[in-house]
Amino acid sequence: MSPQAAPSLLPSAAGVSPPVSKRNRSAQPWGKWLIFATSLFLVTWLLALALAAYSSNPAHIFKLMRIGAPLLDPVVKDRAEWIAVGLSIVIGVTLAKYRPKAPQRLEGKIGRFALNRRQSILLCGLVPAIVRLALLPVFRVPQPLIADEFGYLLIADTFASGRLTNPPHPLWKFFEAIYVLHHPTYTSIYPVAPAVLLAIPQAFGASPWLGVWFGASLMCALICWMLQGWMPPKWALLGGLIAALRFSIAGPWMNNFWGGSTAAIGGALMLGALPRIMKGRRARDSALFGLGLMILAQSRPYECLLFSVPLLTWLGVWLLRERGFGWNANLRRVALPLGAAFLLLVAGSAYYNLRVTGHPFLMPYSLHQKVYGTPPGFYWQHPVMDAPAADWPKDVADVFRWQMDAHRERSWRILRERLLSFWRFYFQPLLTVPLFFLAFLWRDRRLLLLTLTALLVLAGNCLYPFYFPHYTAPMCGLLVLLIVEGMRRLRAVKLGAAPLGIWIVRSCIPITVLSGLATIAGGLMEPWFVTAADTPRSAVYKQLDTGKHVVFVRYGPRHSFHDGVVFNDADIDKSRIVWARDLGPENDGELMQYYRDREFWIYDPDVSRDALAPMGGTPYISAVTGATGRRDDIREGISPGALVVLFGGNFARQLRGATASPIWGAVAVRLEGVSAEYGDEFAPGAGVAAGSPDQKALSAFNNISVRFGGQPARILSISNLDGQESITLQAPFRMPLGQVPVELRVGAQVSVKKVAVLPATPGIFQMRMSDSNLRGLVLHADGTLVDLENPAHRGEVLRMFATGLGPLAWRASGPGGPPAFFGPAQPLIVGVADHGASLVSAKYSVVMPGVTEIDFAIPSDTPPGPDVHLLLAVVVDGEPVYSNKSFLPVE
């Protein structure tokens, strides 16, 4: 194979596309564009409506998930693309000697269309913008979910309000949040450029997500514009469409508030202006280069340094060597605009720092390191271990410990994982193959400089602990340039005299498009992987749709800081809903006195997104969940006859510990904790929770009763562990399916909350073992517990305890046993190590209400280990309903 001669990559008479005639530049076909845009929107919108209607049926959701999951699985996609690469090579070798006219005519039409550069740019920006809007019935407007998103939205709200920062709140301790400063001013620690796009629509009363949507579309258009400065128009169009397909629509840069597209815009402006400056020395191009530098510096400052230094060095050397226009022209058209942009960047940054931190050279990011110790900085820097905020909230302290652990841990495995994340986001197999053919340009020093720039950004990014694809967004356009240039070189490859590369590229391009469409299709079938449209905060906003409120947020003892809720607007006092930390009754009164004109609520997001209750001394229900915790299923609810946990407050405030354990009488375990994530958590032993100073009998709470749809429920345990009050009980067997009211009565006081009743909600009870991890509560045949010291063995018959298996039926027992017993009426599936296990028996316990004892055999080929997967499923109407995720030690 040998490369055919091809035009140079960089700006010259051969490398830049030929000038467009006045005829081609004249009147744009606006009518055709309107028809195209309308047709694209309507077709996509109707498909989205049909898919939304189909997925409204819960049974259909699982059918879609089975199709969508492989399309979103990166390992499956890698394998499929490698197969596609092999198929492209086979097609190339097979068709190398054939030269049909149809592909040439199609390429000619595309080339003629691309000669009008403006319409190419418009197409690359318009397609993702229209398609994403049309998909709103499925990909709904995203809601912020993590601290970084709330940080950018706080800055955007500040700018939209006409301020650079906000005065500190007098009661700021209630509003302390991750990556947020409260002194000397109240704002986020992040750079401001991504927030500007969010602030523009917000200033006009629109959703800030429109700024994200516009920014991602603009990024795709600018990548096409950038490529037009480096290569022929048809290839620039191809690169812009690749960016639109891969980095927008179903990608994170258009579906969250983390940023990414803003930094990519800055990089595209700089890289697109560079060849134009060298060709024409226009002040406009120099200004665009400077604008890109400013955007990049206020998006990703560190990556801006790595990205811009090689480009500025290249530009400086070129200015010193190229004197065709004279020093005066170079000074006026290049140096002065760039210098003005640089001075504006420095002055603007210094002024912003002065307003926020009180010092022109102290960035908010750096001040946060001094106050909270996060982020810890580069690997060679010593982390701040003596930050003064000694009374941090638990989630803020958890962030500090998490980042310190990441700062200390350095290994080849971590480096491999971050490089794999980078490769999968930007390339994957189909877009990797063209990069190998850049070797044919090894003598091109300009291409070598661009490649080294990309490697410098990537290497520099490995010098601090964390990586997300938007960290390397500044070189997004550069990577697309290298991909497309590699395709050009691949196209020029010949096998003897036969044009092998042409057919490989002709097959690779449509397969790349199909791969991108497959990813979008997978996202449409599992939209929660694309956009977080339903969050705990959005659930509260739906319930409190009018009036002014203060929501006290009570985080559970195992709360994950990734799921934060306490984030506020720029002007906290004018917000319709104020989110505050629950600092205890002795402190909350101060905030209640400050906001006397508002309603007050208590919210337990770790229990349920609907766990909102009025603040006060009356009993309330936060949520009613299965006693074994959250299941591996999107349908939330309980089932008839199952053990459930009622979470709430003001019915067991005087209790410390637990009154009893639901299966305490039959198995040597005790109730150790209760959480919405894991339900009732047990530990080896007997009696009530360990260390409980108050072991009151259940009869002391005889004034408490619970009813489901008017039917009384059997209360098995009442607990108050780590401040979380709960009741473990057995739901009545004769409950109807659908929404059922749950009534908690404490004396004369009543609280009611509705809960979904499903046919089956299988769950495996969990036990905390010696390493503090939860695994399945399972017994050996002799009645001893399966644990790390006494693990299960392959081929052994074990007994596990489950609940929520649906209706019961009489079943015949084995030879020599009782004539009949109650067991689950619906078929069961037991899985061990992701394979089916032999089900020996399943019977309803006569001594443990709501519990089913399941005997099963460990498969002989089960791999040993401390955390072998254990799973249970109930077959309902031919579809498996899965339990919670559990584990089992096997030797």
Side-chain angles (χ1 to χ4, degrees):
M1 292 190 299
S2 61
Q4 188 180 21
S8 171
L9 170 70
L10 297 179
S12 65
V16 178
S17 57
V20 181
S21 66
K22 293 182 178 180
R23 178 183 174 186
N24 289 336
R25 282 186 178 174
S26 60
Q28 299 286 341
W30 298 115
K32 293 181 180 180
W33 277 106
L34 181 60
I35 294 173
F36 166 76
T38 304
S39 301
L40 179 62
F41 178 85
L42 288 176
V43 170
T44 309
W45 182 63
L46 291 173
L47 288 173
L49 285 177
L51 184 60
Y54 181 80
S55 60
S56 61
N57 186 334
H60 295 163
I61 293 178
F62 292 95
K63 294 180 182 178
L64 293 173
M65 288 174 61
R66 283 196 293 270
I67 301 172
L71 297 177
L72 295 176
D73 188 331
V75 176
V76 172
K77 189 173 181 182
D78 289 348
R79 293 172 181 170
E81 288 203 2
W82 282 123
I83 293 172
V85 169
L87 179 62
S88 299
I89 295 173
V90 171
I91 292 174
V93 173
T94 305
L95 302 180
K97 297 181 180 180
Y98 294 91
R99 299 185 181 182
K101 299 294 184 182
Q104 296 179 15
R105 287 196 294 268
L106 178 60
E107 290 176 357
K109 291 181 179 180
I110 294 174
R112 287 190 293 274
F113 173 86
L115 285 176
N116 189 321
R117 300 184 186 184
R118 292 180 181 177
Q119 69 179 7
S120 295
I121 296 169
L122 180 62
L123 180 68
C124 294
L126 204 59
V127 167
I130 292 174
V131 172
R132 182 58 182 87
L133 281 182
L135 291 177
L136 280 175
V138 182
F139 292 161
R140 290 182 288 158
V141 174
Q143 300 296 321
L145 191 62
I146 65 169
D148 304 64
E149 296 180 277
F150 287 108
Y152 285 120
L153 286 168
L154 173 57
I155 299 175
D157 189 27
T158 303
F159 291 170
S161 303
R163 299 184 299 273
L164 284 179
T165 188
N166 308 285
H169 196 280
L171 300 178
W172 65 273
K173 276 291 184 182
F174 287 93
F175 313 125
E176 200 167 8
I178 299 171
Y179 308 141
V180 171
L181 290 170
H182 285 276
H183 284 285
T185 60
Y186 164 51
T187 190
S188 175
I189 68 171
Y190 290 112
V192 301
V196 173
L197 281 176
L198 308 179
I200 294 173
Q202 193 168 356
F204 294 95
S207 169
W209 174 74
L210 289 176
V212 178
W213 165 79
F214 175 76
S217 304
L218 178 62
M219 172 195 71
C220 299
L222 284 176
I223 287 177
C224 178
W225 169 83
M226 179 269 294
L227 293 173
Q228 288 174 351
W230 294 92
M231 58 187 58
K234 65 179 181 180
W235 292 100
L237 175 61
L238 172 63
L241 292 176
I242 288 175
L245 202 60
R246 194 167 190 91
F247 306 122
S248 62
I249 304 177
W253 295 356
M254 194 179 254
N255 294 286
N256 63 39
F257 300 91
W258 258 23
S261 60
T262 311
I265 287 172
L269 283 172
M270 292 181 66
L271 205 58
L274 184 62
R276 290 172 169 85
I277 293 173
M278 294 180 177
K279 181 187 176 184
R281 289 180 175 83
R282 292 180 299 185
R284 180 186 67 184
D285 297 326
S286 301
L288 289 175
F289 188 97
L291 177 62
L293 178 65
M294 289 191 291
I295 293 173
L296 201 50
Q298 284 297 330
S299 299
R300 301 292 312 171
Y302 173 60
E303 287 81 3
C304 171
L305 179 66
L306 299 175
F307 183 82
S308 61
V309 166
L311 301 187
L312 288 170
T313 303
W314 183 4
L315 185 60
V317 171
W318 175 83
L319 280 174
L320 292 175
R321 289 182 176 180
E322 297 291 334
R323 302 178 184 178
F325 283 76
W327 283 107
N328 188 36
N330 288 342
L331 179 65
R332 288 186 296 104
R333 299 178 185 179
V334 180
L336 284 180
L338 291 180
F342 182 77
L343 290 176
L344 183 61
L345 171 64
V346 172
S349 301
Y351 181 70
Y352 180 77
N353 293 339
L354 179 65
R355 293 291 306 275
V356 172
T357 67
H359 195 288
F361 302 112
L362 179 62
M363 297 186 298
Y365 194 84
S366 302
L367 178 60
H368 194 271
Q369 286 179 318
K370 294 181 178 180
V371 176
Y372 292 100
T374 55
F378 297 99
Y379 282 127
W380 69 80
Q381 293 178 314
H382 294 292
V384 179
M385 303 299 296
D386 57 347
D391 55 344
W392 295 337
K394 181 180 180 300
D395 55 331
V396 177
D398 287 345
V399 172
F400 175 81
R401 286 189 289 269
W402 171 62
Q403 295 203 5
M404 287 303 107
D405 291 342
H407 188 271
R408 297 187 185 105
E409 186 178 2
R410 306 169 197 179
S411 66
W412 289 109
R413 178 187 59 83
I414 294 176
L415 179 61
R416 176 185 173 277
E417 288 177 355
R418 67 190 302 156
L419 292 177
L420 182 62
S421 176
F422 167 80
W423 176 77
R424 279 182 170 157
F425 184 83
Y426 289 101
F427 298 108
Q428 288 193 301
L430 279 170
L431 299 182
T432 301
V433 172
L435 299 181
F436 293 110
F437 291 86
L438 294 176
F440 290 136
L441 296 172
W442 65 274
R443 291 186 177 180
D444 193 322
R445 289 177 295 177
R446 294 167 177 145
L447 175 64
L448 181 61
L449 181 63
L450 292 178
T451 304
L452 291 177
T453 299
L455 293 175
L456 177 63
V457 174
L458 184 60
N461 192 263
C462 294
L463 298 179
Y464 51 87
F466 301 100
Y467 175 76
F468 295 97
H470 65 272
Y471 289 6
T472 47
M475 62 175 179
C476 178
L478 173 56
L479 297 177
V480 175
L481 187 154
L482 296 177
I483 291 168
V484 177
E485 187 61 30
M487 286 185 177
R488 291 181 68 200
R489 302 305 141 182
L490 172 57
R491 182 183 171 89
V493 170
K494 287 188 175 184
L495 183 60
L500 171 66
I502 290 179
W503 283 106
I504 294 179
V505 172
R506 283 176 177 172
S507 57
C508 269
I509 290 175
I511 293 175
T512 301
V513 173
L514 288 175
S515 177
L517 292 177
T519 301
I520 296 173
L524 290 171
M525 295 173 190
E526 297 189 280
W528 48 88
F529 283 104
V530 175
T531 173
D534 294 313
T535 65
R537 284 170 55 99
S538 66
V540 172
Y541 275 109
K542 288 178 182 178
Q543 295 183 63
L544 307 180
D545 56 349
T546 59
K548 299 175 69 176
H549 310 273
V550 174
V551 177
F552 286 95
V553 178
R554 177 183 297 161
Y555 291 140
R558 295 186 180 90
H559 169 75
S560 171
F561 62 84
H562 294 295
D563 304 320
V565 175
V566 181
F567 294 96
N568 284 283
D569 297 337
D571 194 331
I572 299 177
D573 291 345
K574 291 184 179 180
S575 304
R576 191 175 66 81
I577 296 180
V578 173
W579 301 85
R581 293 179 179 274
D582 176 26
L583 300 182
E586 65 280 3
N587 296 315
D588 291 348
E590 183 180 8
L591 194 67
M592 297 174 74
Q593 182 67 22
Y594 184 86
Y595 290 116
R596 285 175 292 182
D597 60 335
R598 294 175 178 259
E599 295 184 67
F600 300 94
W601 305 81
I602 188 73
Y603 185 46
D604 295 305
D606 296 321
V607 172
S608 168
R609 66 179 57 195
D610 299 320
L612 182 70
M615 192 83 166
T618 59
Y620 64 89
I621 302 174
S622 296
V624 180
T625 67
T628 53
R630 293 192 171 94
R631 300 179 297 113
D632 194 14
D633 195 305
I634 63 172
R635 293 172 294 190
E636 296 182 357
I638 63 171
S639 57
L643 288 188
V644 300
V645 178
L646 182 152
F647 293 93
N650 297 329
F651 54 80
R653 283 181 295 181
Q654 71 275 27
L655 179 64
R656 295 295 179 270
T659 60
S661 170
I663 58 177
W664 167 67
V667 182
V669 293
R670 54 182 168 77
L671 187 65
E672 179 76 5
V674 182
S675 68
E677 183 67 26
Y678 302 109
D680 284 334
E681 306 169 20
F682 297 95
V688 296
S692 172
D694 189 351
Q695 302 182 3
K696 293 185 177 180
L698 188 61
S699 59
F701 295 89
N702 56 11
N703 65 330
I704 298 178
S705 64
V706 180
R707 290 177 175 269
F708 288 74
Q711 301 181 57
R714 181 178 179 180
I715 295 178
L716 303 173
S717 173
I718 299 175
S719 65
N720 187 340
L721 300 170
D722 294 317
Q724 175 62 71
E725 300 173 47
S726 65
I727 303 174
T728 299
L729 46 87
Q730 184 186 15
F733 269 106
R734 295 184 177 180
M735 289 191 301
L737 302 182
Q739 294 291 322
V740 172
V742 180
E743 176 187 282
L744 169 66
R745 184 179 293 272
V746 182
Q749 298 177 318
V750 178
S751 176
V752 179
K753 193 177 187 69
K754 286 190 175 182
V755 63
V757 178
L758 306 173
T761 54
I764 302 170
F765 287 100
Q766 308 279 349
M767 182 181 71
R768 196 167 296 280
M769 298 189 180
S770 56
D771 62 352
S772 299
N773 291 327
L774 283 171
R775 296 178 180 86
L777 178 51
V778 182
L779 301 182
H780 293 282
D782 60 1
T784 58
L785 291 166
V786 174
D787 54 24
L788 295 175
E789 291 73 28
N790 191 14
H793 295 83
R794 286 172 285 189
E796 183 181 6
V797 176
L798 305 174
R799 174 170 297 178
M800 70 176 168
F801 301 91
T803 189
L805 305 187
L808 301 177
W810 287 102
R811 293 192 180 277
S813 64
F821 62 90
F822 272 120
Q826 302 171 120
L828 301 182
I829 300 172
V830 178
V832 175
D834 301 322
H835 295 286
S838 176
L839 178 63
V840 178
S841 68
K843 58 184 179 181
Y844 187 74
S845 174
V846 295
V847 295
M848 297 179 288
V851 176
T852 299
E853 303 176 27
I854 300 174
D855 291 352
F856 66 100
I858 299 289
S860 58
D861 59 348
T862 301
D867 293 300
V868 175
H869 284 279
L870 178 63
L871 189 67
L872 177 66
V874 179
V875 181
V876 179
D877 297 330
E879 294 288 337
V881 179
Y882 294 101
S883 69
N884 54 329
K885 293 180 179 179
S886 189
F887 300 92
L888 187 70
V890 177
E891 187 175 69

